[in-house]
Amino acid sequence: MFKALGRFVVGHRWLVIIGWLIAGAAVIGYAPSLTTTSDQAEFLPKHYESIQAQKIQQKAFPQGFSPSAIVVFTREDGKPLDEADSAEVAKVGNALKAKQYDKVEQVITVPPSPHKKVQTVMVSMADVKAGDKSQQHAVEDMRDDLKPLVADSGLKVGVTGDAANQLDNEEASKEADSLIFLGTIGLIIILMTVIFRSPTITVLTIIGITLVSQIANGLIAISAEEFNLKADSSVSSLLIVVLFGVGTDYILFLMFRYRERLRLGEDPKTAMISAVGRVGEAIASAAGAVVVCFLALMLSSLSFLVSMGPALAIAIGVTLLASLTLIPAIISLMGTKVFWPSKSWQREPRAARFLAVGKAVARRPGLFAIGSGLLMIVLALGSFGYKPTFASQVDENSTMESQIALHTMSSDLPVGSTNPSSVLMRSTNGEKLSEAGMEAFVGKLKQVDGVGSATRTQVSKDGMTAEFNAVLTMDPNGREAMDVVRGPLRSTAHEAAPEGTETKVGGITSVFVDINKAVNRDFSVVFPTAAALIMLILGLLLRSVVAPIYLMVSVALGFGATLGASVVLFQQIEGQPGLTFFLPVIMYLFVVAIGTDYNILMVARLREEAKEGLTPREATAKSIQHAGPTVAAAGVILAGTFASMLLASDPSLSQIGFAVAFGIVIGAFVMAMFFTPALTAVLGRAAWWPRRVRSEQPQQGAPGYADDLQEQLVPTQGGGHYAPQDRRD
């Protein structure tokens, strides 16, 4: 099948290239812009309590007051605010109100804090749809106007709140995307040039993947619009490393085989047909495993994961198609000039290190299997300390204005003031809510441990619905706040509700509680489904029942080792409160899927060598010698591209970058290089059960072959250069 594809691509290379250019122009030209959303509530299904509370609030109080931005005032000298300062704050508040910013509905000046260190102006804004930047633009304008308003007043001012956080995070995300893109491109240029000693291949790789990325982004945007999918802002950063990292890997797989066939004396066209035919199945299976993992996210109950899955699957699908059609077409057109100016493609390198590794693993496979397995198990022990976090918490060292203002505000006000928990009470018997019942309810809320204050904020016009605010004494984005809302606040709100009423707890902390519940549910559904589908792909590729089992065991160990290492670095060494809640999902997708990629490449070579008549240990040594350089190069490039995410200022992106890069290193240099081939050698021919691997050629019977693993050299068709004889021809 893949050899036939190779013949078609090479025979119609101009048609393939022109077809890609036309398709690319059509997709890019037609595709809409990809919108994003930062409203965490939009990601949850309707049956969760936080979403039910939000719906009640929107229906009863369509014009309700909810501060989207908070202007925080303090004195420059750090002293308490006096009456003149408060009068100046009120004057500034009135000036902001008179500006009539777009989407701003109410501007309310609040009295000073208990110790008069802080005074705030609350700004309520109209709700906007995903992708609408009106709130952020209003914050930008407000910040510009505040500078002259407080000049020479002795006051310091900063804007925080959801809209300000979104603005600052968006700007930081753009900067992160640029850093990640430049870091990724720079790494690919350096590594591809070092590996092939050819800038031509490097330029071809970057241009090809850039075209593929534009087409993939266009298809993702079209799919998002057609199927009403929500795209999270982190997808753009992930797409950069996925497309350039995985795309470079697949091109590496192809180029190593193409160069190998050229060294065996084949002409460029025949060599490309052979390369596609021999490595196409491994690339397709590897991409299939990744796509299956991504599509398994559609079983998630979180809409941003449901959207992320198809988006990344589309990216991998387009990359796979380009790797087996567009890239081979271009390379077959260029022939050996693709290696210009290097001539090293004509000579078989000694690969002494990989030869030595292969021989060592072949001699003592049991020792290497146990050693590499124990390494992953020890690292995995750290995963027991994993703590999830659900949003950026107060960062005292942040340079973002929203974080600085939030830290200033929390110095004399409960941290939860920025995002109080909303408790909605609704009549269920058709009677209006009683004043006595509501007063008693407020008293119960105040008694909840962790609640700093509780007030009734408003009652609907029909008297059937009331809203109460419970201000927590801790960061509303933190785990302690989630424990309070999940436990005593919700239970008290439900139990203390007057007869004939029902209560629902909303607010951002309640949303995070429900997201946590949804993630735990997803772990029990998405992970097993993806694992089962990957095993099916491995079974079809290897025609074996045994091999897929221990391959998945190795990947599971790699996942545990990666999570454990991330916990040790970020929680124990750096002292962060936890890891971003969706990190295990991202790790599972990339570490499992890409770790499976490298296992597939190695095991496919193991089976290929076994079919040549080599014994299990001989096949192990030979596979590491020949597939080892490919796996190592691919692992370094892909790990490096994900490591570029460490350049981002967003802690979540930094955690993802480290975790995936570390997982890929484990996958390439522990699983694929040692654990998998060693275990295959230990199991011997039983690894391919129930299918018997039949030799395609007579077995090498020369004495000492397993120890020496010396290759018989024959002259290439180019003359003058010598290369290993390929027993498969």
Side-chain angles (χ1 to χ4, degrees):
M1 171 184 171
F2 289 98
K3 198 162 189 176
L5 175 63
R7 289 195 190 98
F8 175 83
V9 169
V10 172
H12 303 84
R13 49 193 181 276
W14 276 113
L15 178 63
V16 172
I17 294 171
I18 293 172
W20 269 96
L21 292 175
I22 293 174
V27 170
I28 295 170
Y30 175 76
S33 59
L34 188 62
T35 60
T36 61
T37 179
S38 56
D39 184 357
Q40 303 287 356
E42 290 190 28
F43 299 143
L44 283 167
K46 297 178 181 179
H47 65 270
Y48 285 100
E49 180 170 347
S50 59
I51 306 305
Q52 293 175 354
Q54 184 186 69
K55 298 300 181 184
I56 295 172
Q57 185 181 47
Q58 290 173 347
K59 182 178 179 181
F61 311 106
Q63 302 297 324
F65 184 87
S66 179
S68 301
I70 304 173
V71 187
V72 182
F73 295 87
T74 57
R75 284 179 60 107
E76 289 183 344
D77 57 13
K79 294 181 180 179
L81 298 165
D82 55 27
E83 291 185 4
D85 295 325
S86 292
E88 187 66 28
V89 170
K91 181 181 176 182
V92 173
N94 290 331
L96 293 177
K97 188 175 183 178
K99 294 284 185 180
Q100 295 184 339
Y101 300 103
D102 184 31
K103 301 300 180 183
V104 171
E105 296 180 332
Q106 298 182 64
V107 178
I108 300 175
T109 302
V110 179
S113 60
H115 299 95
K116 298 187 181 298
K117 292 182 179 180
V118 177
Q119 189 166 1
T120 59
V121 172
M122 301 292 184
V123 181
S124 175
M125 300 183 185
D127 292 335
V128 294
K129 294 181 179 180
D132 189 333
K133 307 296 182 183
S134 301
Q135 290 188 348
Q136 290 94 314
H137 294 329
V139 171
E140 284 182 307
D141 295 339
M142 205 176 298
R143 284 175 172 173
D144 292 338
D145 293 337
L146 280 167
K147 294 176 183 177
L149 288 174
V150 298
D152 302 323
S153 66
L155 297 174
K156 286 197 306 182
V157 65
V159 183
T160 187
D162 287 344
N165 284 331
Q166 290 171 19
L167 173 63
D168 291 343
N169 288 334
E170 187 174 288
E171 291 177 350
S173 179
K174 289 179 181 177
E175 180 183 348
D177 285 354
S178 299
L179 288 172
I180 290 169
F181 179 77
L182 292 175
T184 299
I185 294 297
L187 186 70
I188 290 175
I189 290 173
I190 293 171
L191 293 177
M192 291 292 282
T193 303
V194 168
I195 292 169
F196 292 103
R197 301 184 179 91
S198 167
T200 309
I201 294 178
T202 304
V203 172
L204 170 63
T205 300
I206 292 174
I207 292 176
I209 297 177
T210 300
L211 173 62
V212 169
S213 68
Q214 293 300 310
I215 295 174
N217 274 298
L219 290 174
I220 291 167
I222 292 171
S223 300
E225 185 176 74
E226 292 294 327
F227 300 104
N228 193 31
L229 298 176
K230 297 180 179 67
D232 182 62
S233 57
S234 62
V235 171
S236 60
S237 298
L238 286 174
L239 280 175
I240 293 172
V241 293
V242 167
L243 289 166
F244 280 89
V246 176
T248 303
D249 268 12
Y250 293 165
I251 292 174
L252 268 178
F253 295 168
L254 181 70
M255 289 302 299
F256 269 90
R257 272 304 176 100
Y258 177 59
R259 188 175 64 179
E260 183 180 326
R261 303 310 299 179
L262 288 173
R263 287 170 175 165
L264 293 168
E266 294 182 353
D267 65 89
K269 293 181 182 178
T270 305
M272 181 51 67
I273 294 172
S274 298
V276 173
R278 289 177 178 275
V279 82
E281 186 178 26
I283 293 177
S285 299
V290 178
V291 168
V292 160
C293 271
F294 290 157
L295 290 180
L297 284 179
M298 296 181 72
L299 299 174
S300 171
S301 56
L302 296 172
S303 65
F304 85 100
L305 289 180
V306 172
S307 303
M308 183 188 293
L312 296 177
I314 289 171
I316 294 297
V318 175
T319 303
L320 169 64
L321 190 60
S323 301
L324 296 181
T325 57
L326 177 62
I327 301 301
I330 295 174
I331 294 173
S332 65
L333 190 65
M334 299 176 69
T336 56
K337 293 179 182 178
V338 75
F339 297 103
W340 182 88
S342 174
K343 301 290 185 181
S344 62
W345 64 271
Q346 298 173 338
R347 299 180 298 275
E348 175 75 17
R350 292 183 60 191
R353 293 179 181 176
F354 291 98
L355 174 61
V357 170
K359 291 169 68 174
V361 174
R363 285 195 186 101
R364 296 186 174 181
L367 179 64
F368 279 93
I370 293 172
S372 55
L374 282 176
L375 172 63
M376 291 188 285
I377 290 172
V378 169
L379 287 172
L381 294 176
S383 62
F384 289 104
Y386 166 66
K387 298 176 182 177
T389 58
F390 292 81
S392 299
Q393 300 182 50
V394 180
D395 185 357
E396 299 179 9
N397 301 315
S398 176
T399 58
M400 294 192 300
E401 180 175 332
S402 58
Q403 284 290 305
I404 295 173
L406 179 60
H407 177 57
T408 301
M409 181 178 168
S410 64
S411 64
D412 200 30
L413 286 170
V415 184
S417 300
T418 55
N419 270 309
S421 292
S422 302
V423 183
L424 280 301
M425 179 185 293
R426 181 172 60 179
S427 173
T428 57
N429 59 9
E431 298 180 3
K432 291 184 178 182
L433 301 175
S434 70
E435 283 291 333
M438 289 187 285
E439 287 297 325
F441 184 73
V442 170
K444 292 289 186 181
L445 292 180
K446 289 180 179 179
Q447 295 174 15
V448 174
D449 188 22
V451 173
S453 64
T455 57
R456 187 184 72 191
T457 56
Q458 53 189 333
V459 179
S460 62
K461 292 181 179 180
D462 61 6
M464 305 290 285
T465 306
E467 180 184 38
F468 305 83
N469 274 357
V471 178
L472 304 181
T473 57
M474 66 284 294
D475 184 353
N477 297 332
R479 293 176 58 250
E480 291 182 2
M482 290 175 58
D483 291 340
V484 170
V485 171
R486 181 190 297 109
L489 182 56
R490 279 189 174 177
S491 60
T492 299
H494 298 160
E495 294 168 4
E499 187 176 350
T501 68
E502 66 171 357
T503 55
K504 301 291 182 183
V505 179
I508 192 64
T509 310
S510 185
V511 169
F512 292 145
V513 168
D514 290 338
I515 288 179
N516 185 34
K517 185 177 180 180
V519 168
N520 291 336
R521 174 263 177 198
D522 289 350
F523 285 168
S524 64
V525 175
V526 176
F527 285 15
T529 302
L533 292 174
I534 289 175
M535 285 189 67
L536 179 61
I537 290 175
L538 290 171
L540 293 174
L541 170 67
L542 303 174
R543 285 81 167 176
S544 166
V545 173
V546 176
I549 294 175
Y550 69 79
L551 289 179
M552 290 305 298
V553 169
S554 72
V555 171
L557 288 175
F559 172 83
T562 303
L563 182 58
S566 301
V567 168
V568 171
L569 175 63
F570 292 107
Q571 293 183 196
Q572 298 180 11
I573 297 178
E574 292 194 1
Q576 294 185 16
L579 303 179
T580 183
F581 73 94
F582 58 88
L583 181 62
V585 177
I586 300 297
M587 278 175 43
Y588 183 80
L589 295 175
F590 289 103
V591 174
V592 170
I594 295 171
T596 302
D597 275 11
Y598 298 146
N599 270 339
I600 285 174
L601 190 67
M602 183 62 73
V603 174
R605 189 72 188 225
L606 280 164
R607 190 188 65 166
E608 189 176 322
E609 297 295 345
K611 290 171 69 176
E612 297 303 320
L614 300 186
T615 66
R617 295 196 179 197
E618 292 170 351
T620 295
K622 207 70 172 174
S623 297
I624 293 175
Q625 179 188 359
H626 287 292
T630 309
V631 170
V636 168
I637 287 178
L638 192 57
T641 57
F642 274 98
S644 66
M645 295 177 73
L646 289 167
L647 299 172
S649 58
D650 185 342
S652 296
L653 289 179
S654 297
Q655 290 175 5
I656 291 172
F658 169 80
V660 178
F662 186 87
I664 290 168
V665 169
I666 290 289
F669 295 97
V670 179
M671 289 192 295
M673 201 74 70
F674 294 103
F675 188 78
T676 296
L679 204 52
T680 303
V682 169
L683 292 172
R685 302 193 186 280
W688 314 113
W689 184 87
R691 183 183 178 91
R692 292 189 61 185
V693 177
R694 297 180 180 275
S695 172
E696 294 180 352
Q697 297 291 340
Q699 182 173 341
Q700 296 283 349
Y705 180 80
D707 291 333
D708 297 334
L709 295 168
Q710 298 298 318
E711 300 175 358
Q712 301 174 15
L713 301 179
V714 297
T716 66
Q717 291 181 6
H721 300 288
Y722 285 79
Q725 181 177 1
D726 189 357
R727 299 181 311 277
R728 291 175 291 278
D729 294 333

